[in-house]
Amino acid sequence: MTGPHPPDPAQTDTLTLLGTGDSKGVPRFWCACPVCTEARGLDGRPGVNRRTRTATLLRSGARSALLDAGPDTHAGLARLPGPLVPDAVFISHAHNDHLLGLGDLLDYVRYADGRLRVYAPPEVVPQIAARFPYAFPAGGAGPVRPIPPQGVPVGEVTVRAFRVPHGANGHSHAYRLDRPARAGGEGWSAAVVTDAIGIPPELARTWLRGPGGAGLDTLLLGTSFEDESGAPLSGRSVYDVREALTLPWAQAAGQVVLTHLSHGVDVRRAGHLPPGWQYAHDDLTVPLAAATRPSAALAAGRPARPQQEP
């Protein structure tokens, strides 16, 4: 996994995490906790815990798409080594930390006469129109389209959205990414689940497993705090790291990247994460490919039985 420089041309499918913080970012501007203090850095250099709000750049060959557009999206795109206009933008829900960067993208369409496809779940489209009324002409088609059930192709990848529980915040949507197997190459499956808690098993079986019930090849999972067990469940809205480590569908994934991190997560303390798991950081590039599968027993979260001696 690499930083903000261009991905290896041989690796055609990647996710670049432009923003990996929770809704308030890190540091929180009013906070002097150890994580926020470290994130501020020294001598103008940010600490390793510096995190901006959510935006994820999917690349598949020559095509690209933004998965959400938080308030810091402009800065994230400006850090790329050259100009980039995504072929599509997807908005999962109408919370500020996933939506407000859309204003810059709509300005590109409105004032630079650019062309940009913007998608959102059908119920979210009118909420976006209420935030950006200037971009939605009266009596005409607006710039945001409903995501069709069959998904939207981005290069060789199909992007679909599915509804997930968001705890005290109602519900959100997550993204399912699939690249089918082609001649000469393996397919893969991935999910980006930034804002969810309490996903029921039947939903996980449908959306958070690969073909045949195997684990996903890649999972990006939101975990805002290391441990929120002391907080009332009724007031929470995102998994914590403690919970994520117990989720069967997360345990079965080939690689897991924990994102949407608040100042309640110090990425310098990652030694408790199992192999194949890591904390996200801004500009992290994650390759998307078929993972080496564990045995069926390990994928189900059970230790494999030792073989009998002959």
Side-chain angles (χ1 to χ4, degrees):
M1 298 188 184
T2 60
H5 54 278
D8 182 347
Q11 173 60 59
T12 59
D13 300 325
T14 60
L15 288 173
T16 297
L17 283 66
L18 302 178
T20 59
D22 72 337
S23 62
K24 302 169 184 64
V26 183
R28 298 185 179 188
F29 66 82
W30 65 89
C31 184
C33 76
V35 172
C36 287
T37 298
E38 190 279 332
R40 288 187 173 89
L42 295 171
D43 301 324
R45 300 180 64 182
V48 296
N49 281 296
R50 176 77 65 87
R51 298 185 275 272
T52 59
R53 274 74 62 88
T54 300
T56 302
L57 180 64
L58 166 66
R59 286 189 175 102
S60 178
R63 300 296 182 183
S64 64
L66 270 177
L67 309 180
D68 287 325
D72 308 303
T73 297
H74 176 277
L77 291 172
R79 290 195 302 269
L80 297 174
L84 182 144
V85 177
D87 295 288
V89 178
F90 298 85
I91 301 297
S92 62
H93 61 301
H95 288 174
N96 287 349
D97 59 317
H98 292 255
L99 175 65
L100 289 188
L102 185 60
D104 291 317
L105 298 167
L106 292 176
D107 283 351
Y108 165 77
V109 174
R110 182 175 176 86
Y111 298 114
D113 198 28
R115 297 290 180 266
L116 184 65
R117 295 178 295 154
V118 183
Y119 296 93
E123 67 200 79
V124 178
V125 174
Q127 298 171 12
I128 297 174
R131 297 288 186 90
F132 302 100
Y134 66 89
F136 287 75
V144 183
R145 314 176 193 181
I147 301 176
Q150 70 273 20
V152 177
V154 178
E156 296 294 322
V157 179
T158 298
V159 179
R160 293 179 289 165
F162 60 100
R163 182 167 163 159
V164 292
H166 196 3
N169 288 330
H171 67 270
S172 176
H173 294 82
Y175 301 108
R176 172 67 183 245
L177 314 177
D178 289 280
R179 176 171 181 151
R182 303 290 191 209
E186 291 185 276
W188 54 259
S189 57
V192 179
V193 188
T194 59
D195 290 52
I197 190 171
I199 293 177
E202 61 273 18
L203 186 65
R205 282 193 294 269
T206 301
W207 290 100
L208 298 172
R209 292 282 184 173
L216 293 167
D217 296 295
T218 301
L219 172 65
L220 268 62
L221 180 61
T223 53
S224 290
F225 289 84
E226 290 184 15
D227 186 345
E228 278 197 291
S229 57
L233 184 60
S234 60
R236 296 179 51 216
S237 58
V238 178
Y239 287 115
D240 64 20
V241 176
R242 168 188 56 90
E243 292 164 325
L245 291 169
T246 70
L247 297 170
W249 43 271
Q251 294 173 344
Q255 62 174 339
V256 179
V257 182
L258 301 179
T259 188
H260 205 274
L261 308 173
S262 79
H263 68 169
V265 175
D266 189 340
V267 300
R268 297 171 294 179
R269 298 199 302 261
H272 64 292
L273 297 180
W277 291 51
Q278 69 169 306
Y279 286 127
H281 60 76
D282 286 13
D283 301 321
L284 173 69
T285 293
V286 179
L288 297 171
T292 301
R293 294 291 179 191
S295 70
L298 292 176
R302 303 188 303 271
R305 294 182 179 179
Q307 293 183 349
Q308 297 293 325
E309 293 292 334

